[in-house]
Structure formats: C-alpha cells, structure tokens
Amino acid sequence: MGKSLHPKVKEFKEFVRKHPKIVKDVRNGNANWQELFEDWYLLGEEDTRWNPYRDTAEKNEEKDEESSKNGWFDHVGELVKKMDANQLQSHINNISEVLGTVQGVISQFQSNPKGTTVTNETRSKPSHPFSFRKD
C-alpha cells in the first residue's frame, strides 16, 4: 500500500524541518524542490549554499564551535596576516622612543643630590635605570 521513501529523501526532509526558510522560499517561487534536493545531495548540509536558510542562532553556534576548535593560535595567525609591516615598524619605533624618554627621566631622578660628593666607584658604574642580573 504505502511506498517507503529512499533514505536520502528522508534525510532531506529532516534537513528541511531544521531550516523552515527553505519551505518559504519554495512557496514564494524562488526555488523548487528538485533543485534544492540536488544541491543538498551534491553539496551536503554544511555548504555555504544553505547560509541564507540558517537561523542567526545556528550561525552563532557554528561560529562559536569553529572558534573553539581553532583556538587562540589560529586567531593570532589571522591577526599576523592582516598586519601591515610598515605600520608595525612605526609603532615599535614610537614605543622605543617613549621608553628612551622614560629612561632619561628616571636617570635624572637617580642622579646624586647636590650635597654629596661623587667617588671614583660611582663614576665607573654606568647609571642604568633598569639593572639586569644573571642568575
């Protein structure tokens, strides 16, 4: 009496239930079932062809899932790709100048008070605001 549907047709029906915008598109005459089924069968459910039919909540969930898979290392890689080398060099030069200025101000505050005398020991030591020591 009743013909059973092909398993792929059943899967497509389930896919359409998850994406009700597909039904609206067919009813408006913007698409037909045959073309949609063929695209679904050939391209799969994850293809960008289906992005207009996805809900925004579903898109956000996919983005979150993708970003957690990729991790921070891929994020850093993307930032490096977008980076302009000349602009980066300019920022590094500015930071270097600022650090030099800060070091100069600190060295002025570390200079000897007027009432003390300078010995040979203090003259031979370089006056660096930051002392680096080896362990």
Side-chain angles (χ1 to χ4, degrees):
M1 181 168 152
K3 253 175 144 174
S4 65
L5 293 175
H6 190 274
K8 287 293 183 183
V9 175
K10 289 180 183 178
E11 289 179 38
F12 179 67
K13 281 184 151 188
E14 191 62 36
F15 175 71
V16 171
R17 280 189 200 110
K18 291 178 185 175
H19 303 89
K21 292 180 183 178
I22 295 174
V23 177
K24 290 179 184 176
D25 212 14
V26 171
R27 288 182 182 162
N28 291 336
N30 298 330
N32 67 45
W33 289 116
Q34 184 65 37
E35 289 176 1
L36 291 170
F37 177 76
E38 289 172 0
D39 288 347
W40 174 84
Y41 187 78
L42 295 173
L43 302 173
E45 292 183 20
E46 302 303 322
D47 192 68
T48 56
R49 157 82 166 97
W50 308 112
N51 285 349
Y53 302 111
R54 288 191 170 94
D55 292 335
T56 54
E58 187 178 335
K59 288 179 184 177
N60 290 339
E61 184 179 303
E62 287 177 5
K63 286 180 184 177
D64 291 343
E65 189 176 301
E66 185 177 316
S67 66
S68 66
K69 286 180 185 175
N70 294 339
W72 66 272
F73 193 72
D74 289 341
H75 182 68
V76 170
E78 290 296 320
L79 290 175
V80 169
K81 287 180 187 176
K82 294 177 185 177
M83 199 180 318
D84 180 19
N86 294 330
Q87 190 177 17
L88 180 64
Q89 184 64 40
S90 171
H91 289 304
I92 290 172
N93 288 339
N94 288 341
I95 290 170
S96 177
E97 290 175 9
V98 168
L99 287 176
T101 303
V102 169
Q103 285 178 339
V105 169
I106 290 173
S107 67
Q108 286 179 354
F109 285 115
Q110 286 182 342
S111 65
N112 292 330
K114 292 180 181 177
T116 61
T117 58
V118 178
T119 62
N120 287 337
E121 289 179 325
T122 56
R123 276 193 212 142
S124 63
K125 292 183 183 178
S127 63
H128 293 286
F130 306 108
S131 61
F132 297 101
R133 299 181 186 139
K134 293 182 182 180
D135 289 336

